[in-house]
Amino acid sequence: MKEPVLLTPGPLTTSSATKLAMVRDWGSRDTGFIAINRRVRELLLDIIHARDSHVCVPLQGSGTFAVEAMLGTLVPRDGHVLVPLNGAYCKRIARICSILGRRTTTLNFEENEPVRPGDVDAALKRDPSITHVALVHCETSTGVLNPLKEVAEIVARHKRSLLVDAMSSFAALEIDGQKIAFDALVAASGKCLEGPPGMGFALVTRDSLEKSAGNSPSLVLDLHDQWVNMEKTAQWRFTPPTVVVAALHAALEQFVAEGGQPARLARYRRNCEVLIEGMTRLGFKLFLEARHQAPVIVTFHAPTDPNYDFQKFYDRVREKGFVLYPGKLTQVDTLRVGCIGAIDEHVMRAAVHAIADTLAEQNIRLHETGAVRSRQNAA
Ligand SMILES: *Cc1c(COP(=O)(O)O)cnc(C)c1O
């Protein structure tokens, strides 16, 4: 059976060239693998124009491993982290900080609103003991885009450090390491880079990484140690995810060939427009105001019709070839559809058709438009 299109924020749909790059074994000391690894680290830095100012430290594991490694390595034991909080991934950062035993203060916002820079400013003014701000760029639990540039300016003005979880925005939204001041940023192989999952990485200013020796309470998540070893031996400290590195290398080559970040953003924007247009026509309502929406993942209110059952709906759409994503909000029933991955607007149109057909088959009525009669209404 044809594999389904993953309309999820990672793992996501990868290209055939990326998949094919995994059909080979590599020894971790193989000179070919070492060259690929070096190239991947350079290409990742190029995306934020930071080959001279920052270093790239790759790390085994999913994205959260890299988030935890960044917090544990860069926040000293007597540090104090401010976490602006407007969703599940921000909450996860606060939870990691408290598990690591780092003093943590959260600054709460509504889930449907971006972080307000003025509030971050006030919090930093109020409490001079805060050393770090940990910001999620695109809060993937809703798709809301947080104002990285504005927050970075405020954090820099207060002479504190900024740590960024750019997991679902990196390579799609512009982040210029020369214009935006942060100590470290983390992302992973399996999101907007369109590689397979399994590897995270931190882009860290050389200065702050050099100063971070001995901070980490963990061996495997110590970015300083990983970096020092990789610089010295050109190898990973522990068994590297060789096939993931090789596939990410292939994905990065395609990223460059496509036209880099601006081209990727343009494709995702178009995916997002086609999706929102089609879903809105079916009667779905956006959870976020459009101006707060990143073109990464879109949250829709779930239908209120008693005939709607997420699992049944999901299963049927899956049979038609598309994998959706459940909502992640506590207060409102939602569903999410990703716009990222090796997919284009034609795929998005086909997905809207599959959703329209499923609504009709399961006799699910949407808010105002009533039952959906046929796919002709969809797009
Ligand atoms: C995907 C993601 C992560 C990491 O999640 P994993 O499941 O560990 O890969 C962290 N933060 C954000 C904002 C994400 O979108």
Side-chain angles (χ1 to χ4, degrees):
M1 201 183 121
K2 201 168 158 260
E3 53 182 285
V5 173
L6 303 180
L7 298 176
T8 56
L12 39 64
T13 299
T14 59
S15 72
S16 304
T18 299
K19 286 190 249 291
L20 285 170
M22 289 186 273
V23 193
R24 105 149 252 196
D25 299 315
W26 290 99
S28 55
R29 290 161 181 273
D30 189 307
T31 52
F33 175 72
I34 286 172
I36 283 176
N37 192 56
R38 185 183 324 109
R39 188 81 188 114
V40 164
R41 292 175 67 209
E42 284 170 1
L43 286 168
L44 292 173
L45 286 167
D46 286 348
I47 295 174
I48 61 159
H49 316 295
R51 221 195 259 202
D52 301 321
S53 49
H54 296 58
V55 294
C56 173
V57 191
L59 186 75
Q60 299 92 333
S62 85
T64 306
F65 289 62
V67 175
E68 185 163 333
M70 169 175 74
L71 295 165
T73 305
L74 290 156
V75 181
R77 293 177 192 214
D78 59 356
H80 179 182
V81 187
L82 178 73
V83 186
L85 200 153
N86 65 340
Y89 290 97
C90 307
K91 244 183 227 154
R92 188 180 291 174
I93 286 183
R95 175 136 189 264
I96 292 169
C97 288
S98 81
I99 288 172
L100 292 173
R102 301 302 192 252
R103 191 171 162 209
T104 309
T105 298
T106 60
L107 188 60
N108 299 313
F109 298 92
E110 296 298 323
E111 277 177 319
N112 61 354
E113 269 190 5
V115 164
R116 282 192 300 272
D119 292 13
V120 175
D121 189 28
L124 293 179
K125 245 184 226 136
R126 231 178 5 247
D127 191 344
S129 75
I130 292 167
T131 55
H132 291 72
V133 175
L135 182 75
V136 174
H137 189 199
C138 171
E139 182 31 272
T140 323
S141 54
T142 54
V144 70
L145 184 63
N146 284 324
L148 171 61
K149 184 164 165 280
E150 291 78 0
V151 171
E153 279 166 8
I154 286 161
V155 175
R157 202 171 340 111
H158 286 277
K159 301 199 165 48
R160 320 292 171 91
S161 297
L162 180 64
L163 305 177
V164 186
D165 171 351
M167 209 63 66
S168 64
S169 57
F170 185 81
L173 299 173
E174 192 196 10
I175 302 172
D176 188 331
Q178 303 313 316
K179 292 187 192 147
I180 296 184
F182 55 80
D183 277 32
L185 168 157
V186 283
S189 55
K191 294 213 173 171
C192 302
L193 290 167
E194 302 183 357
M199 184 194 126
F201 53 87
L203 307 182
V204 194
T205 60
R206 190 176 283 276
D207 269 8
S208 34
L209 192 55
E210 275 166 358
K211 278 189 284 198
S212 69
N215 282 346
S216 178
S218 160
L219 171 69
V220 291
L221 299 181
D222 186 340
L223 293 177
H224 182 270
D225 201 43
Q226 178 89 323
W227 174 58
V228 167
N229 268 273
M230 200 169 279
E231 292 298 308
K232 203 161 33 183
T233 66
Q235 288 170 34
W236 292 55
R237 273 182 311 166
F238 310 117
T239 307
T242 50
V243 285
V244 177
V245 177
L248 178 60
H249 178 248
L252 280 162
E253 286 185 326
Q254 294 160 69
F255 171 82
V256 172
E258 185 180 4
Q261 174 268 325
R264 187 133 308 181
L265 177 60
R267 176 158 57 84
Y268 289 173
R269 273 221 173 105
R270 187 67 194 135
N271 288 351
C272 187
E273 277 165 20
V274 166
L275 173 71
I276 290 178
E277 212 175 277
M279 292 292 275
T280 305
R281 199 168 306 158
L282 294 178
F284 281 95
K285 292 267 183 290
L286 288 171
F287 173 73
L288 294 176
E289 278 180 53
R291 68 200 165 101
H292 298 326
Q293 174 74 58
V296 170
I297 186 162
V298 184
T299 304
F300 296 99
H301 285 282
T304 47
D305 191 316
N307 288 337
Y308 173 75
D309 172 286
F310 177 76
Q311 194 60 48
K312 260 179 61 194
F313 180 74
Y314 171 96
D315 288 344
R316 189 65 187 130
V317 176
R318 163 73 181 76
E319 280 167 15
K320 295 176 188 294
F322 302 91
V323 175
L324 305 177
Y325 214 51
K328 204 177 182 150
L329 304 177
T330 40
Q331 312 287 328
V332 240
D333 193 15
T334 54
L335 65 116
R336 288 180 292 169
V337 189
C339 323
I340 63 178
I343 52 174
D344 62 11
E345 61 181 287
H346 304 290
V347 173
M348 299 314 285
R349 264 193 209 99
V352 173
H353 284 155
I355 288 169
D357 288 347
T358 305
L359 290 172
E361 286 167 24
Q362 298 185 346
N363 198 24
I364 300 164
R365 285 164 181 276
L366 278 149
H367 314 283
E368 278 139 58
T369 53
V372 175
R373 281 167 301 274
S374 74
R375 65 157 52 189
Q376 274 66 43
N377 295 343

